[in-house]
């Protein structure tokens, strides 16, 4: 893609994210997005065949970005509890970086529960997180840093649930807690209980 | 309230919950709700001054119900980690009972992030959970079942975050895990790490 074309695509995405956060996905029309982005409908449809495809592109960009940031530092052969703890720091970073755009995270959830195409697009990366965490925990059991009684799939779901719950509350009630600290303490509680008792 | 009037109110609430789940809060009009419930607009406005007040009534009923169920069995003077573990069972029960109606849980979150009146109505019971959990953990520290190094407010937020994250994923991807088991294991990991080391 040409740089100018890329810039236009990114600009449409940014405008749409802002609009979806303010007005909601359902209420925002392609025309509204074009006005906000200052682009013609022709330019819009050159990049995205529909509002839904734009929505899915935002979702995909976001999940891929989190994925890359989270797992880039994981070292399966090393101290897995410490790796998972490091990921908690990254989650805090993701959270701060995305803070203004987080209402759209809930839009994804709502649309996914209602629209099969969104569900399908959201569920694959989500299940990939679960699998990657489960794989990391299983490798920790092999290398001896994680207790062998832990069920990697269940433990992975516990970790992701905690992260999802924190993200959601940080959106709805950002002022009520130091969410970075809740993340770090919560992950620490879970990794402590997974550690091999020596 | 007369029994018949109560029945009508409950019937309007049930119809609205079903409609909000299917079509979304924004898309569902008072007229749609009346058609679904088979009541006149007069009957509707006798019970609820607006769609928003109905929405808030649903939220309040739901949160009060969860509150009663969760804390009815808590015994602050006894074994607090065991009490919290019992709550995990109750959460599984709440989850199963509410499974079909859970998409509305996300509607509340989305509306709360956008509408100050909804936010205000949602945030009070939510903060009350946090406070009740924090109080329970602090009483466990006094009676010696919880480690005194634990920060009750942070630990309460970790517990609620886990519960919220599980609820959300159980809505979006019910088939991908035994969510009762994830709840019970997750709470167990956290309570284990809060126990007083003897």
């Amino acid at each position: 893609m040409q740089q100018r074309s890329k810039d236009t695509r990114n600009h449409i995405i940014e405008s749409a994210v802002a609009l979806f956060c303010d007005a909601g996905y359902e209420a925002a029309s392609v025309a509204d997005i074009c006005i906000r982005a200052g682009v013609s409908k022709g330019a819009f449809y050159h990049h995205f065949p529909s509002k839904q495809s734009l929505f899915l592109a935002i979702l995909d960009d976001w999940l891929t970005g989190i994925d890359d940031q989270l797992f880039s530092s994981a070292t399966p052969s090393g101290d897995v509890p410490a790796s998972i703890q490091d990921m908690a720091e990254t989650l805090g970073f993701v959270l701060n970086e995305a803070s203004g755009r987080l209402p759209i995270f809930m839009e994804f959830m709502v649309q996914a529960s209602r629209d099969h195409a969104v569900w399908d697009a959201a569920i694959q990366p989500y299940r990939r997180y679960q699998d990657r965490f489960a794989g990391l925990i299983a490798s920790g059991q092999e290398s001896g840093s994680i207790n062998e009684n832990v069920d990697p799939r269940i433990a992975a779901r516990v970790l992701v649930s905690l992260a999802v719950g924190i993200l959601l509350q940080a959106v709805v009630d950002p002022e009520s807690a130091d969410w970075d600290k809740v993340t770090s303490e919560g992950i620490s509680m879970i990794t402590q209980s997974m550690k091999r008792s020596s």
Side-chain angles (χ1 to χ4, degrees), chain A:
Chain A
M1 216 187 292
Q2 298 281 317
Q3 186 57 42
R4 204 177 132 196
S5 179
K6 256 192 208 163
D7 288 348
T8 304
R9 185 182 185 277
N10 288 338
H11 186 57
I12 294 171
I13 285 184
E14 279 164 30
S15 306
V17 167
L19 198 60
F20 292 156
C21 286
D22 288 353
Y25 173 73
E26 296 283 5
S29 69
V30 169
D32 296 332
I33 298 165
C34 289
I35 290 168
R36 183 125 177 185
V39 301
S40 67
K41 281 206 179 178
F44 181 96
Y45 287 113
H46 172 70
H47 289 282
F48 305 101
S50 64
K51 185 171 84 164
Q52 193 193 61
S53 72
L54 163 63
F55 193 64
L56 296 179
I58 295 170
L59 180 63
D60 190 62
D61 278 10
W62 203 50
L63 292 173
T64 306
I66 295 176
D67 207 356
D68 290 347
Q69 284 184 294
L70 268 188
F71 288 96
S72 61
S73 60
T75 50
S77 56
D79 182 345
V80 169
S83 280
I84 294 174
Q85 196 66 46
D86 286 347
M87 288 178 178
E89 308 289 313
T90 309
L91 186 70
F93 179 75
V94 169
L95 220 143
N96 288 333
E97 202 184 31
S99 57
R101 291 175 299 148
L102 281 175
I104 206 170
F105 165 82
M106 294 188 295
E107 282 282 0
F108 285 127
M109 294 282 189
V110 172
Q111 294 306 323
S113 70
R114 209 171 275 150
D115 178 332
H116 196 76
V118 175
W119 187 85
D120 229 44
I123 219 67
Q124 297 312 329
Y126 159 78
R127 288 189 175 162
R128 198 169 62 225
Y129 288 158
Q130 304 277 17
D131 290 346
R132 289 182 80 155
F133 272 115
L136 190 61
I137 292 163
S139 74
Q141 290 178 314
E142 278 165 37
S143 63
S145 57
I146 297 219
N147 192 305
E148 58 205 10
N149 294 328
V150 169
D151 179 331
R153 292 188 64 79
I154 296 282
R157 273 158 182 77
V158 169
L159 284 166
V160 173
S161 296
L162 181 66
V164 165
I166 288 172
L167 271 171
L168 199 65
Q169 291 172 92
V171 178
V172 175
D173 198 12
E175 302 302 322
S176 78
D178 178 344
W179 292 109
D180 284 352
K181 192 157 183 214
V182 173
T183 308
S184 141
E185 286 289 312
I187 300 288
S188 164
M189 285 170 154
I190 291 167
T191 52
Q192 284 301 324
S193 80
M194 291 197 300
K195 268 187 192 163
R196 194 170 187 176
S197 46
S198 48

PDB file of all heavy atoms in Angstrom, chain A residues 65-91:
ATOM      1  N   GLY A  65      -1.833  -6.120  18.095  1.00  0.00           N
ATOM      2  CA  GLY A  65      -0.912  -5.260  18.833  1.00  0.00           C
ATOM      3  C   GLY A  65      -0.702  -5.736  20.267  1.00  0.00           C
ATOM      4  O   GLY A  65       0.429  -5.812  20.747  1.00  0.00           O
ATOM      5  N   ILE A  66      -1.798  -6.095  20.955  1.00  0.00           N
ATOM      6  CA  ILE A  66      -1.688  -6.583  22.328  1.00  0.00           C
ATOM      7  C   ILE A  66      -0.910  -7.884  22.364  1.00  0.00           C
ATOM      8  O   ILE A  66      -0.026  -8.092  23.196  1.00  0.00           O
ATOM      9  CB  ILE A  66      -3.091  -6.782  22.956  1.00  0.00           C
ATOM     10  CG1 ILE A  66      -3.805  -5.428  23.094  1.00  0.00           C
ATOM     11  CG2 ILE A  66      -2.977  -7.462  24.323  1.00  0.00           C
ATOM     12  CD1 ILE A  66      -5.234  -5.541  23.614  1.00  0.00           C
ATOM     13  N   ASP A  67      -1.243  -8.760  21.432  1.00  0.00           N
ATOM     14  CA  ASP A  67      -0.589 -10.053  21.315  1.00  0.00           C
ATOM     15  C   ASP A  67       0.924  -9.882  21.201  1.00  0.00           C
ATOM     16  O   ASP A  67       1.702 -10.468  21.962  1.00  0.00           O
ATOM     17  CB  ASP A  67      -1.154 -10.747  20.067  1.00  0.00           C
ATOM     18  CG  ASP A  67      -1.080 -12.259  20.178  1.00  0.00           C
ATOM     19  OD1 ASP A  67      -0.538 -12.762  21.166  1.00  0.00           O
ATOM     20  OD2 ASP A  67      -1.567 -12.931  19.258  1.00  0.00           O
ATOM     21  N   ASP A  68       1.335  -9.037  20.244  1.00  0.00           N
ATOM     22  CA  ASP A  68       2.765  -8.802  20.018  1.00  0.00           C
ATOM     23  C   ASP A  68       3.434  -8.257  21.272  1.00  0.00           C
ATOM     24  O   ASP A  68       4.511  -8.691  21.654  1.00  0.00           O
ATOM     25  CB  ASP A  68       2.969  -7.785  18.876  1.00  0.00           C
ATOM     26  CG  ASP A  68       2.598  -8.378  17.521  1.00  0.00           C
ATOM     27  OD1 ASP A  68       2.423  -9.604  17.444  1.00  0.00           O
ATOM     28  OD2 ASP A  68       2.476  -7.598  16.562  1.00  0.00           O
ATOM     29  N   GLN A  69       2.756  -7.274  21.906  1.00  0.00           N
ATOM     30  CA  GLN A  69       3.370  -6.656  23.091  1.00  0.00           C
ATOM     31  C   GLN A  69       3.474  -7.656  24.241  1.00  0.00           C
ATOM     32  O   GLN A  69       4.460  -7.708  24.945  1.00  0.00           O
ATOM     33  CB  GLN A  69       2.537  -5.454  23.531  1.00  0.00           C
ATOM     34  CG  GLN A  69       2.730  -4.236  22.647  1.00  0.00           C
ATOM     35  CD  GLN A  69       1.953  -3.038  23.168  1.00  0.00           C
ATOM     36  OE1 GLN A  69       0.721  -3.039  23.191  1.00  0.00           O
ATOM     37  NE2 GLN A  69       2.667  -2.019  23.591  1.00  0.00           N
ATOM     38  N   LEU A  70       2.407  -8.459  24.431  1.00  0.00           N
ATOM     39  CA  LEU A  70       2.370  -9.363  25.582  1.00  0.00           C
ATOM     40  C   LEU A  70       3.390 -10.486  25.480  1.00  0.00           C
ATOM     41  O   LEU A  70       4.085 -10.788  26.445  1.00  0.00           O
ATOM     42  CB  LEU A  70       0.992  -9.992  25.721  1.00  0.00           C
ATOM     43  CG  LEU A  70      -0.030  -9.311  26.603  1.00  0.00           C
ATOM     44  CD1 LEU A  70      -1.243 -10.189  26.764  1.00  0.00           C
ATOM     45  CD2 LEU A  70       0.541  -8.971  27.989  1.00  0.00           C
ATOM     46  N   PHE A  71       3.436 -11.111  24.311  1.00  0.00           N
ATOM     47  CA  PHE A  71       4.225 -12.338  24.224  1.00  0.00           C
ATOM     48  C   PHE A  71       5.639 -12.124  23.719  1.00  0.00           C
ATOM     49  O   PHE A  71       6.423 -13.055  23.680  1.00  0.00           O
ATOM     50  CB  PHE A  71       3.484 -13.376  23.374  1.00  0.00           C
ATOM     51  CG  PHE A  71       2.285 -13.939  24.092  1.00  0.00           C
ATOM     52  CD1 PHE A  71       1.025 -13.419  23.870  1.00  0.00           C
ATOM     53  CD2 PHE A  71       2.434 -14.962  25.024  1.00  0.00           C
ATOM     54  CE1 PHE A  71      -0.081 -13.920  24.546  1.00  0.00           C
ATOM     55  CE2 PHE A  71       1.327 -15.463  25.704  1.00  0.00           C
ATOM     56  CZ  PHE A  71       0.063 -14.946  25.466  1.00  0.00           C
ATOM     57  N   SER A  72       5.966 -10.871  23.333  1.00  0.00           N
ATOM     58  CA  SER A  72       7.306 -10.635  22.800  1.00  0.00           C
ATOM     59  C   SER A  72       8.385 -10.944  23.838  1.00  0.00           C
ATOM     60  O   SER A  72       9.479 -11.350  23.503  1.00  0.00           O
ATOM     61  CB  SER A  72       7.438  -9.181  22.331  1.00  0.00           C
ATOM     62  OG  SER A  72       7.231  -8.319  23.424  1.00  0.00           O
ATOM     63  N   SER A  73       8.038 -10.768  25.144  1.00  0.00           N
ATOM     64  CA  SER A  73       9.066 -10.937  26.166  1.00  0.00           C
ATOM     65  C   SER A  73       8.982 -12.282  26.886  1.00  0.00           C
ATOM     66  O   SER A  73       9.767 -12.558  27.786  1.00  0.00           O
ATOM     67  CB  SER A  73       8.947  -9.806  27.193  1.00  0.00           C
ATOM     68  OG  SER A  73       7.664  -9.861  27.784  1.00  0.00           O
ATOM     69  N   ALA A  74       8.002 -13.114  26.512  1.00  0.00           N
ATOM     70  CA  ALA A  74       7.843 -14.379  27.222  1.00  0.00           C
ATOM     71  C   ALA A  74       8.951 -15.368  26.868  1.00  0.00           C
ATOM     72  O   ALA A  74       9.294 -15.525  25.706  1.00  0.00           O
ATOM     73  CB  ALA A  74       6.486 -14.997  26.884  1.00  0.00           C
ATOM     74  N   THR A  75       9.514 -16.005  27.876  1.00  0.00           N
ATOM     75  CA  THR A  75      10.589 -16.968  27.660  1.00  0.00           C
ATOM     76  C   THR A  75      10.179 -18.304  28.269  1.00  0.00           C
ATOM     77  O   THR A  75      10.373 -18.538  29.455  1.00  0.00           O
ATOM     78  CB  THR A  75      11.886 -16.489  28.328  1.00  0.00           C
ATOM     79  OG1 THR A  75      11.561 -16.124  29.685  1.00  0.00           O
ATOM     80  CG2 THR A  75      12.473 -15.300  27.622  1.00  0.00           C
ATOM     81  N   PRO A  76       9.605 -19.195  27.444  1.00  0.00           N
ATOM     82  CA  PRO A  76       9.035 -20.446  27.937  1.00  0.00           C
ATOM     83  C   PRO A  76      10.030 -21.312  28.703  1.00  0.00           C
ATOM     84  O   PRO A  76       9.644 -22.059  29.596  1.00  0.00           O
ATOM     85  CB  PRO A  76       8.592 -21.174  26.664  1.00  0.00           C
ATOM     86  CG  PRO A  76       8.524 -20.143  25.608  1.00  0.00           C
ATOM     87  CD  PRO A  76       9.465 -19.055  25.997  1.00  0.00           C
ATOM     88  N   SER A  77      11.321 -21.193  28.339  1.00  0.00           N
ATOM     89  CA  SER A  77      12.278 -22.089  28.973  1.00  0.00           C
ATOM     90  C   SER A  77      12.749 -21.528  30.318  1.00  0.00           C
ATOM     91  O   SER A  77      13.339 -22.228  31.114  1.00  0.00           O
ATOM     92  CB  SER A  77      13.477 -22.294  28.045  1.00  0.00           C
ATOM     93  OG  SER A  77      14.014 -21.026  27.746  1.00  0.00           O
ATOM     94  N   GLY A  78      12.507 -20.250  30.556  1.00  0.00           N
ATOM     95  CA  GLY A  78      13.005 -19.628  31.776  1.00  0.00           C
ATOM     96  C   GLY A  78      12.025 -19.722  32.929  1.00  0.00           C
ATOM     97  O   GLY A  78      11.284 -20.683  33.066  1.00  0.00           O
ATOM     98  N   ASP A  79      12.001 -18.678  33.747  1.00  0.00           N
ATOM     99  CA  ASP A  79      11.147 -18.632  34.921  1.00  0.00           C
ATOM    100  C   ASP A  79       9.749 -18.156  34.472  1.00  0.00           C
ATOM    101  O   ASP A  79       9.527 -16.960  34.294  1.00  0.00           O
ATOM    102  CB  ASP A  79      11.781 -17.660  35.927  1.00  0.00           C
ATOM    103  CG  ASP A  79      10.980 -17.578  37.223  1.00  0.00           C
ATOM    104  OD1 ASP A  79       9.812 -18.030  37.246  1.00  0.00           O
ATOM    105  OD2 ASP A  79      11.540 -17.055  38.203  1.00  0.00           O
ATOM    106  N   VAL A  80       8.839 -19.097  34.275  1.00  0.00           N
ATOM    107  CA  VAL A  80       7.529 -18.756  33.712  1.00  0.00           C
ATOM    108  C   VAL A  80       6.713 -17.841  34.633  1.00  0.00           C
ATOM    109  O   VAL A  80       6.126 -16.861  34.163  1.00  0.00           O
ATOM    110  CB  VAL A  80       6.753 -20.032  33.302  1.00  0.00           C
ATOM    111  CG1 VAL A  80       5.306 -19.716  32.963  1.00  0.00           C
ATOM    112  CG2 VAL A  80       7.436 -20.697  32.108  1.00  0.00           C
ATOM    113  N   PRO A  81       6.667 -18.107  35.959  1.00  0.00           N
ATOM    114  CA  PRO A  81       5.943 -17.148  36.810  1.00  0.00           C
ATOM    115  C   PRO A  81       6.467 -15.714  36.656  1.00  0.00           C
ATOM    116  O   PRO A  81       5.683 -14.769  36.600  1.00  0.00           O
ATOM    117  CB  PRO A  81       6.181 -17.690  38.220  1.00  0.00           C
ATOM    118  CG  PRO A  81       6.364 -19.159  38.040  1.00  0.00           C
ATOM    119  CD  PRO A  81       7.103 -19.289  36.735  1.00  0.00           C
ATOM    120  N   ALA A  82       7.793 -15.568  36.531  1.00  0.00           N
ATOM    121  CA  ALA A  82       8.363 -14.219  36.347  1.00  0.00           C
ATOM    122  C   ALA A  82       7.960 -13.630  34.996  1.00  0.00           C
ATOM    123  O   ALA A  82       7.666 -12.434  34.899  1.00  0.00           O
ATOM    124  CB  ALA A  82       9.890 -14.267  36.478  1.00  0.00           C
ATOM    125  N   SER A  83       7.923 -14.475  33.955  1.00  0.00           N
ATOM    126  CA  SER A  83       7.481 -14.004  32.631  1.00  0.00           C
ATOM    127  C   SER A  83       6.054 -13.496  32.686  1.00  0.00           C
ATOM    128  O   SER A  83       5.728 -12.459  32.102  1.00  0.00           O
ATOM    129  CB  SER A  83       7.525 -15.138  31.604  1.00  0.00           C
ATOM    130  OG  SER A  83       8.807 -15.342  31.135  1.00  0.00           O
ATOM    131  N   ILE A  84       5.189 -14.252  33.373  1.00  0.00           N
ATOM    132  CA  ILE A  84       3.779 -13.868  33.462  1.00  0.00           C
ATOM    133  C   ILE A  84       3.653 -12.565  34.242  1.00  0.00           C
ATOM    134  O   ILE A  84       2.868 -11.687  33.896  1.00  0.00           O
ATOM    135  CB  ILE A  84       2.940 -15.004  34.084  1.00  0.00           C
ATOM    136  CG1 ILE A  84       2.932 -16.225  33.136  1.00  0.00           C
ATOM    137  CG2 ILE A  84       1.516 -14.547  34.381  1.00  0.00           C
ATOM    138  CD1 ILE A  84       2.267 -17.458  33.693  1.00  0.00           C
ATOM    139  N   GLN A  85       4.479 -12.436  35.279  1.00  0.00           N
ATOM    140  CA  GLN A  85       4.473 -11.192  36.055  1.00  0.00           C
ATOM    141  C   GLN A  85       4.882  -9.999  35.174  1.00  0.00           C
ATOM    142  O   GLN A  85       4.288  -8.931  35.256  1.00  0.00           O
ATOM    143  CB  GLN A  85       5.407 -11.327  37.266  1.00  0.00           C
ATOM    144  CG  GLN A  85       5.192 -10.265  38.323  1.00  0.00           C
ATOM    145  CD  GLN A  85       3.829 -10.377  38.997  1.00  0.00           C
ATOM    146  OE1 GLN A  85       3.408 -11.447  39.378  1.00  0.00           O
ATOM    147  NE2 GLN A  85       3.123  -9.268  39.124  1.00  0.00           N
ATOM    148  N   ASP A  86       5.881 -10.226  34.307  1.00  0.00           N
ATOM    149  CA  ASP A  86       6.291  -9.169  33.373  1.00  0.00           C
ATOM    150  C   ASP A  86       5.131  -8.757  32.467  1.00  0.00           C
ATOM    151  O   ASP A  86       4.990  -7.584  32.118  1.00  0.00           O
ATOM    152  CB  ASP A  86       7.446  -9.642  32.485  1.00  0.00           C
ATOM    153  CG  ASP A  86       8.754  -9.703  33.256  1.00  0.00           C
ATOM    154  OD1 ASP A  86       8.806  -9.141  34.376  1.00  0.00           O
ATOM    155  OD2 ASP A  86       9.710 -10.313  32.750  1.00  0.00           O
ATOM    156  N   MET A  87       4.331  -9.758  32.080  1.00  0.00           N
ATOM    157  CA  MET A  87       3.189  -9.460  31.210  1.00  0.00           C
ATOM    158  C   MET A  87       2.199  -8.534  31.905  1.00  0.00           C
ATOM    159  O   MET A  87       1.509  -7.757  31.252  1.00  0.00           O
ATOM    160  CB  MET A  87       2.466 -10.745  30.820  1.00  0.00           C
ATOM    161  CG  MET A  87       3.250 -11.584  29.843  1.00  0.00           C
ATOM    162  SD  MET A  87       2.308 -13.089  29.524  1.00  0.00           S
ATOM    163  CE  MET A  87       3.375 -13.864  28.327  1.00  0.00           C
ATOM    164  N   ALA A  88       2.109  -8.639  33.226  1.00  0.00           N
ATOM    165  CA  ALA A  88       1.221  -7.761  33.982  1.00  0.00           C
ATOM    166  C   ALA A  88       1.641  -6.312  33.798  1.00  0.00           C
ATOM    167  O   ALA A  88       0.804  -5.422  33.646  1.00  0.00           O
ATOM    168  CB  ALA A  88       1.224  -8.142  35.463  1.00  0.00           C
ATOM    169  N   GLU A  89       2.968  -6.081  33.770  1.00  0.00           N
ATOM    170  CA  GLU A  89       3.475  -4.724  33.522  1.00  0.00           C
ATOM    171  C   GLU A  89       3.040  -4.262  32.138  1.00  0.00           C
ATOM    172  O   GLU A  89       2.615  -3.124  31.947  1.00  0.00           O
ATOM    173  CB  GLU A  89       5.010  -4.698  33.571  1.00  0.00           C
ATOM    174  CG  GLU A  89       5.623  -5.308  34.813  1.00  0.00           C
ATOM    175  CD  GLU A  89       5.410  -4.454  36.047  1.00  0.00           C
ATOM    176  OE1 GLU A  89       5.637  -3.245  35.958  1.00  0.00           O
ATOM    177  OE2 GLU A  89       5.011  -5.014  37.087  1.00  0.00           O
ATOM    178  N   THR A  90       3.182  -5.181  31.175  1.00  0.00           N
ATOM    179  CA  THR A  90       2.800  -4.841  29.802  1.00  0.00           C
ATOM    180  C   THR A  90       1.315  -4.509  29.743  1.00  0.00           C
ATOM    181  O   THR A  90       0.906  -3.568  29.063  1.00  0.00           O
ATOM    182  CB  THR A  90       3.107  -6.013  28.851  1.00  0.00           C
ATOM    183  OG1 THR A  90       4.444  -6.403  29.053  1.00  0.00           O
ATOM    184  CG2 THR A  90       2.902  -5.599  27.404  1.00  0.00           C
ATOM    185  N   LEU A  91       0.494  -5.272  30.457  1.00  0.00           N
ATOM    186  CA  LEU A  91      -0.948  -5.018  30.446  1.00  0.00           C
ATOM    187  C   LEU A  91      -1.236  -3.614  30.970  1.00  0.00           C
ATOM    188  O   LEU A  91      -2.060  -2.897  30.412  1.00  0.00           O
ATOM    189  CB  LEU A  91      -1.693  -6.065  31.288  1.00  0.00           C
ATOM    190  CG  LEU A  91      -3.221  -5.963  31.206  1.00  0.00           C
ATOM    191  CD1 LEU A  91      -3.740  -6.384  29.842  1.00  0.00           C
ATOM    192  CD2 LEU A  91      -3.897  -6.808  32.294  1.00  0.00           C
TER     193      LEU A  91
END
